Amino acid sequence: MNYDRILIRYGEISTKGRNRHKFVEKLRNSVKIALVPFPNIKIEASRDRMYVLLNGENGIEIIEKLKHIFGIQSFSPVIKVERNVEALKNSALDFVRSHYKEGQTFKVTPKRSDKTFELNTDGINRTIGGFLLQNISGLRVDVKNPDINLRIEVREDAIYLSCETIPGAGGMPIGSNGRAMLMLSGGIDSPVAGYLAMKRGLEIEAIHFHSPPFTSERSKEKVVDLTKKLAKIYGSSIKLHIVPFTSVQQAVREQIPENYSMTSTRRMMLRIADEIRIKQEGLAVITGESLGQVASQTLESMFTINEVTNTPILRPLIMMDKTDIIKIAQEIDTLEISNRPFEDCCTIFVPASPKTKPRREKVQHYESYFDFTPLINDAVQQVETLVIQPEEQNSEFNSLF
């Protein structure tokens, strides 16, 4: 069967009110970007649904692209039929025959949005169902669990037929809820946090802290590869800000008592990330923290670390088990990259007994003996910003500055 279009259902966007058109337009842009390799397609979007007109393009390849676009609840390949009963009967017969295998069952699910059509829903059901039974040998009816569910939707412009509903990625269109900065380490958690943030409609930019010579170029390459994976999900390029963190990290090691050094290091990271956020006009910072997973992720630690900013800190993984995080990492194909044995700045200078319940007044006291601000400003000024293209494009990343 040669489909001529794909019907896209909005899902959560449908709950929006007067501003729904903004979310629909974001989704339309996401679909448009994802389908750039198919120049002949046309996208038609309305308040209630969206159509991708194939115009001869490869429907199977387009379906694979649509599966990964946030904001799509489900979609169906459809054919458009003239608004008359005979055309509907013949098209329905061809349609079901193209999917039918011997011994299968079916049912007809009509929806008559246009009440002026000559058959009501019961009439469509009886007329089309009877016609199919007469013309397809062995076909049987099963209204509860059919092998083929023929959906017939009568609208003002035409009749649309479909029999396959393909799950979408769900969530909200990327960019519909603003921009945020993802603190991206080389570990398992932060790429998953970035993925879940994008699923809720956030446009992300990544920040990575690099501490040469203690961290290698292989460690940097690892983060670039993780960003490529996220860019592939995003469907477009993602900015990656590489922060030279060696001077700040060494100063913390020299000036702060060992058991508080991890807490102070995280505070410096957050101060730098917040400065980059301001420059990039972001509205929040995203981390891969999960409550109680390590010493810096206890509630007391997060309370103390958060003190350095009033910016919202988004933690998509905060209540997730590690096994659940790993499962998502496998699904988005970042786990293997994260498991590469190259150190990052979070794994160097790790104290033997980090404080799990640090107190704000104590870390304030320790940090008061040294002015970290010039080092933080230098790190922000020396940030290297890369534009990372999606993995499948095999493009080299380009330096902006």
Side-chain angles (χ1 to χ4, degrees):
M1 173 60 63
N2 292 321
Y3 301 106
D4 56 19
R5 63 195 63 211
I6 296 173
L7 163 65
I8 294 174
R9 301 179 186 87
Y10 296 149
E12 192 172 345
I13 294 177
S14 300
T15 66
K16 303 302 176 184
R18 294 180 180 178
N19 63 345
R20 185 189 300 187
H21 68 282
K22 296 179 181 178
F23 290 88
V24 171
E25 187 57 29
K26 288 288 187 182
L27 178 57
R28 187 182 187 279
N29 289 337
S30 293
V31 173
K32 184 178 180 181
I33 291 170
L35 300 185
V36 164
F38 308 95
N40 295 322
I41 63 106
K42 183 179 178 182
I43 302 170
E44 295 180 350
S46 68
R47 180 178 174 83
D48 300 316
R49 62 195 57 225
M50 186 178 298
Y51 288 102
V52 176
L53 279 61
L54 300 180
N55 293 325
E57 295 285 3
N58 189 318
I60 295 175
E61 293 182 5
I62 289 174
I63 284 172
E64 287 304 312
K65 294 281 187 181
L66 294 178
K67 287 179 180 178
H68 307 290
I69 298 176
F70 294 129
I72 296 177
Q73 187 67 26
S74 65
F75 57 94
S76 297
V78 303
I79 59 173
K80 184 179 180 180
V81 180
E82 292 180 40
R83 281 171 44 93
N84 70 72
V85 175
E86 287 304 312
L88 175 57
K89 287 163 65 175
N90 293 328
S91 296
L93 179 60
D94 291 341
F95 196 53
V96 173
R97 273 179 173 163
S98 69
H99 292 84
Y100 176 68
K101 296 179 182 178
E102 186 175 352
Q104 285 188 326
T105 59
F106 86 109
K107 79 170 183 177
V108 176
T109 304
K111 180 180 179 181
R112 192 176 62 138
S113 301
D114 179 14
K115 305 303 182 184
T116 65
F117 188 64
E118 58 190 280
L119 297 177
N120 60 20
T121 53
D122 187 57
I124 294 171
N125 200 341
R126 292 177 181 275
T127 301
I128 302 305
F131 187 73
L132 295 175
L133 289 170
Q134 291 172 7
N135 289 276
I136 301 179
S137 177
L139 185 64
R140 295 177 293 111
V141 175
D142 184 347
V143 296
K144 292 185 177 180
N145 188 28
D147 297 307
I148 300 172
N149 184 2
L150 176 62
R151 292 177 172 85
I152 301 175
E153 183 171 0
V154 180
R155 297 180 69 85
E156 290 184 2
D157 60 321
I159 301 173
Y160 297 93
L161 304 182
S162 66
C163 67
E164 183 180 10
T165 299
I166 302 169
M172 303 292 288
I174 290 178
S176 61
N177 282 321
R179 179 184 302 141
M181 318 308 292
L182 170 67
M183 295 178 70
L184 183 65
S185 71
I188 295 171
D189 300 338
S190 54
V192 175
Y195 165 77
L196 294 176
M198 289 192 294
K199 187 171 184 177
R200 293 309 305 161
L202 284 174
E203 175 188 350
I204 66 169
E205 296 184 16
I207 299 173
H208 178 68
F209 293 87
H210 189 49
S211 296
F214 305 106
T215 57
S216 66
E217 284 300 308
R218 299 294 295 275
S219 173
K220 183 177 174 181
E221 290 172 9
K222 178 180 176 181
V223 173
V224 169
D225 288 344
L226 288 171
T227 309
K228 286 181 181 180
K229 291 289 185 181
L230 293 176
K232 181 179 179 181
I233 295 167
Y234 182 34
S236 187
S237 60
I238 290 178
K239 288 183 181 179
L240 171 60
H241 306 282
I242 307 291
V243 180
F245 196 56
T246 308
S247 297
V248 177
Q249 202 161 10
Q250 285 181 316
V252 169
R253 186 187 186 191
E254 294 167 2
Q255 302 295 330
I256 306 297
E258 185 182 34
N259 62 343
Y260 265 85
S261 62
M262 181 179 293
T263 302
S264 186
T265 298
R266 296 297 191 277
R267 285 163 61 96
M268 300 304 154
M269 286 179 168
L270 190 52
R271 287 176 64 179
I272 292 170
D274 204 30
E275 291 297 322
I276 297 172
R277 175 199 64 79
I278 293 170
K279 281 191 171 186
Q280 300 302 122
E281 299 181 345
L283 299 175
V285 174
I286 306 162
T287 77
E289 292 166 303
S290 176
L291 187 61
Q293 185 169 238
V294 294
S296 64
Q297 296 176 21
T298 64
L299 197 57
E300 293 84 355
S301 287
M302 288 186 283
F303 178 76
T304 300
I305 294 166
N306 274 21
E307 182 194 23
V308 300
T309 181
N310 291 321
T311 298
I313 308 300
L314 307 182
R315 298 178 170 95
L317 313 183
I318 193 66
M319 297 299 179
M320 293 181 66
D321 292 336
K322 190 68 174 185
T323 52
D324 296 327
I325 298 169
I326 290 173
K327 182 179 178 181
I328 296 175
Q330 289 173 324
E331 292 172 354
I332 65 175
D333 200 25
T334 58
L335 183 62
E336 184 178 347
I337 299 173
S338 295
N339 282 333
R340 292 178 190 169
F342 306 121
E343 71 291 333
D344 58 37
C345 67
C346 297
T347 60
I348 61 174
F349 306 152
V350 176
S353 300
K355 201 75 173 175
T356 59
K357 295 183 178 182
R359 295 168 56 189
R360 281 185 173 182
E361 57 271 23
K362 280 209 168 186
V363 75
Q364 290 168 357
H365 174 72
Y366 296 142
E367 290 176 1
S368 69
Y369 288 98
F370 185 84
D371 186 5
F372 288 93
T373 301
L375 293 178
I376 288 172
N377 291 338
D378 286 346
V380 173
Q381 290 298 319
Q382 295 173 36
V383 165
E384 178 187 13
T385 299
L386 311 174
V387 177
I388 308 299
Q389 302 296 335
E391 180 197 43
E392 62 185 7
Q393 295 183 11
N394 294 321
S395 299
E396 292 295 323
F397 53 84
N398 302 307
S399 178
L400 291 181
F401 304 106

